[in-house]
Amino acid sequence: MRCLVTGATGYLGGRLVPRLLAAGHQVRCLVRDPAKLRDVPWADRVDIVRGDVLDESSLRPAVAGVDVVHYLVHSLNTADFADADRKGAENAARAAEEARVGRIVYLGGLHPPGGALSPHLASRKEVGDVFLASGVPAVVFQAAVIIGSGSASFEMLRYLTERLPVMVTPRWVRNRVQPIAVRDVLRYLVEAVGLPVGINRAFDIGGPDVLTYQDMMLRYAEVAGLRPRRVVGVPLLTPKLSSHWVNLVTPVPRSIAAPLIESLVHEVVCREDDVRRLLPGPTTGYDQAVGLALARVRDADVETRWSGASVPGAPSDPLPTDPDWSGGSSYVDDRERHTEASPERLWAVVEGIGGEHGWYSFPLAWAVRGWLDRLVGGVGLRRGRRDPRRLHVGEALDWWRVEEIERGRLLRLRAEMRVPGLAWLELRVADGRDGGSTYRQRAVFVPRGLAGHLYWWLVWPFHGLVFGGMVRNIASEAELTSKFRKS
């Protein structure tokens, strides 16, 4: 079959594509920025099309000649997410109908029948309804908590349980949930391609275990080999307060934690299991799903992460080299240092920056800046990195996004923290004039309004400590690892 995958840079889309390829299907990916798929291992096996579901004209060439559309686009980080999701779904449905696409496959949220739903869960249901009412047969899968390495749901569960031996919890942790392993979600998404022609309906999908969220935390602790956790319930923690707490304790920012928690306010349990009759196969128990996810984390073999999806509306312009780009003002901090280490050793340090390795200067300053960013709803430093050694374009690195990478030469990062302007950090490696190598570092800030200019001059006194320390310590680390390898 010829499959179009929207959301291929996201958590599920990035895992679905190689599984569709392994099943023998032809795959086309619709992305806003094709560069973000440049470094994925399957890039040369798919057809990549630039487009946006909010731009209907860009959808027409993407769906041309396609048999199945996998729609995996969600707008979690925008204030008007419901309008954006509705418009995107309507555009995709119209384009698919005009192109005579055979099926639309969508993954939405499991929800209880009737009654008021949270805004995000209501939006997921609305998108599914748009596809079911279109002229194209649709398969709408509805899932609750997805358990898999790198998923936002799993990261929230993991950090809450590991960091809090005693937990004060709201009432919603006693609501029943039917979690599902990410491997089972992906199997359903792949096998939906072969469902009988004409099926147009929603399917509840879940694993074999029905638990409360409290049970999920306690059983996580058991699987992870932690001491038993104590849970104390209180009636005062609203979903909004809970999302602030999750924002502080886990890497998941408030903008993503809020809809996850809002969905848990309802009991989310499958009301039917018809999908198992149409797509039979074993399902993964909760304990096994947690064990598999933890093994992936321990082995640094996390295929995709929740933070890999780009944020709509985030600055995506290339690093400015002309001051006129910003109306005549941009601030630059340029530094350079020679090192006796080889370019290869220096590059290994550069590409391994961030995450557990840190930023090689004034850790307290980085930590404080990360906490301040979290307090105002930003991503902070705790997104970490997917792989401890290698990066690729488009993935998250703490509060940065990898904008460009030329292996062995250049790493360019774009800031996604809350700042009154746009910011980049560029790290370069070059051959030294008399052997060794040269490390060049450039920070660029394009201010937005008076607040942007004030921000730059407020943090300027710390640049010598932060950026100067980075230059010295990165060069020293490269030399140290070179000597260690020789010895």
Side-chain angles (χ1 to χ4, degrees):
M1 294 288 231
R2 292 160 295 187
C3 303
L4 172 70
V5 177
T6 68
T9 60
Y11 175 73
L12 281 169
R15 297 187 180 209
L16 175 62
V17 171
R19 285 160 178 79
L20 287 170
L21 292 170
H25 303 298
Q26 300 174 42
V27 180
R28 180 180 296 163
C29 299
L30 176 75
V31 290
R32 289 190 298 268
D33 182 3
K36 292 179 180 177
L37 293 181
R38 189 187 68 192
D39 296 331
V40 296
W42 38 263
D44 60 348
R45 300 170 58 199
V46 300
D47 178 21
I48 300 174
V49 177
R50 182 189 296 274
D52 190 331
V53 297
L54 296 179
D55 176 8
E56 189 172 353
S57 63
S58 71
L59 283 170
R60 294 191 183 98
V63 298
V66 164
D67 299 308
V68 178
V69 172
H70 284 86
Y71 194 88
L72 301 174
V73 175
H74 297 311
S75 304
L76 277 176
N77 294 284
T78 58
D80 58 345
F81 66 89
D83 292 338
D85 277 351
R86 183 189 315 109
K87 181 181 178 183
E90 290 171 348
N91 288 344
R94 277 194 299 269
E97 185 174 7
E98 291 173 6
R100 299 180 182 274
V101 170
R103 169 165 292 144
I104 296 172
V105 179
Y106 171 65
L107 179 66
L110 193 59
H111 57 272
L117 299 177
S118 70
H120 282 85
L121 210 50
S123 176
R124 298 288 181 268
K125 180 180 183 301
E126 182 181 29
V127 169
D129 291 343
V130 167
F131 290 136
L132 292 172
S134 73
V136 179
V139 172
V140 175
F141 292 125
Q142 299 175 151
V145 176
I146 296 177
I147 303 297
S149 61
S151 79
S153 298
F154 180 72
E155 292 289 279
M156 188 173 89
L157 173 76
R158 179 163 79 99
Y159 279 88
L160 285 173
T161 309
E162 291 187 355
R163 291 184 172 176
L164 302 173
V166 178
M167 289 175 267
V168 178
T169 59
R171 285 175 296 189
W172 56 260
V173 302
R174 292 175 178 79
N175 290 342
R176 294 188 307 154
V177 183
Q178 192 164 353
I180 183 170
V182 67
R183 56 168 49 192
D184 295 337
V185 174
L186 292 167
R187 179 175 74 84
Y188 288 137
L189 290 171
V190 171
E191 294 183 1
V193 171
L195 282 171
V197 176
I199 286 182
N200 185 63
R201 57 161 291 185
F203 293 94
D204 293 350
I205 58 173
D209 300 307
V210 176
L211 309 163
T212 66
Y213 199 82
Q214 177 174 318
D215 292 334
M216 290 170 62
M217 291 189 288
L218 296 176
R219 286 174 64 167
Y220 174 94
E222 186 176 343
V223 174
L226 304 173
R227 292 182 179 181
R229 269 33 189 165
R230 295 186 62 188
V231 179
V232 180
V234 295
L236 303 176
L237 287 175
T238 65
K240 184 175 182 179
L241 287 174
S242 298
S243 67
H244 282 285
W245 179 241
V246 170
N247 177 66
L248 290 174
V249 176
T250 82
V252 181
R254 189 168 66 239
S255 59
I256 293 178
L260 292 177
I261 291 171
E262 287 172 357
S263 67
L264 294 169
V265 171
H266 311 281
E267 287 211 334
V268 278
V269 177
C270 296
R271 301 189 304 277
E272 46 83 16
D273 63 352
D274 295 349
V275 71
R276 299 188 64 181
R277 174 175 52 82
L278 290 168
L279 300 175
T283 54
T284 310
Y286 174 76
D287 290 359
Q288 183 186 3
V290 169
L292 290 168
L294 285 174
R296 290 278 191 179
V297 172
R298 282 195 301 267
D299 296 339
D301 189 25
V302 179
E303 192 175 349
T304 58
R305 295 184 73 225
W306 62 270
S307 56
S310 58
V311 179
S316 57
D317 300 274
L319 178 78
T321 54
D322 182 355
D324 291 338
W325 185 92
S326 62
S329 62
S330 62
Y331 297 106
V332 178
D333 183 285
D334 257 321
R335 298 176 189 266
E336 180 178 308
R337 192 175 184 89
H338 178 76
T339 172
E340 297 301 320
S342 68
E344 293 76 21
R345 293 310 310 156
L346 179 58
W347 175 256
V349 175
V350 167
E351 192 173 3
I353 201 167
E356 296 299 320
H357 294 149
W359 292 87
Y360 294 99
S361 70
F362 203 180
L364 179 60
W366 286 90
V368 169
R369 184 63 182 86
W371 273 101
L372 291 174
D373 195 52
R374 300 287 293 189
L375 286 173
V376 296
V379 296
L381 271 180
R382 291 201 303 269
R383 290 193 302 186
R385 49 183 294 154
R386 180 188 58 85
D387 185 288
R389 290 175 296 275
R390 286 181 71 84
L391 297 169
H392 61 69
V393 170
E395 73 174 325
L397 174 60
D398 289 329
W399 64 43
W400 306 91
R401 180 78 54 180
V402 179
E403 183 173 88
E404 182 58 80
I405 185 167
E406 298 175 18
R407 251 176 204 94
R409 295 184 59 248
L410 166 70
L411 173 62
R412 182 180 299 143
L413 307 173
R414 187 183 73 244
E416 290 188 338
M417 57 201 171
R418 299 290 180 92
V419 290
L422 307 177
W424 289 263
L425 180 63
E426 188 176 78
L427 317 178
R428 287 183 179 271
V429 173
D431 293 334
R433 294 189 185 91
D434 302 312
S437 56
T438 299
Y439 172 62
R440 299 189 179 100
Q441 179 179 292
R442 183 166 70 132
V444 177
F445 181 67
V446 179
R448 183 169 56 243
L450 178 61
H453 293 276
L454 292 175
Y455 172 82
W456 174 265
W457 290 112
L458 182 66
V459 300
W460 179 80
F462 299 99
H463 286 181
L465 289 171
V466 175
F467 293 135
M470 281 185 67
V471 171
R472 291 191 302 272
N473 294 332
I474 286 175
S476 297
E477 179 68 15
E479 291 176 351
L480 183 64
T481 55
S482 295
K483 291 176 182 177
F484 178 77
R485 288 174 66 88
K486 288 177 182 177
S487 63

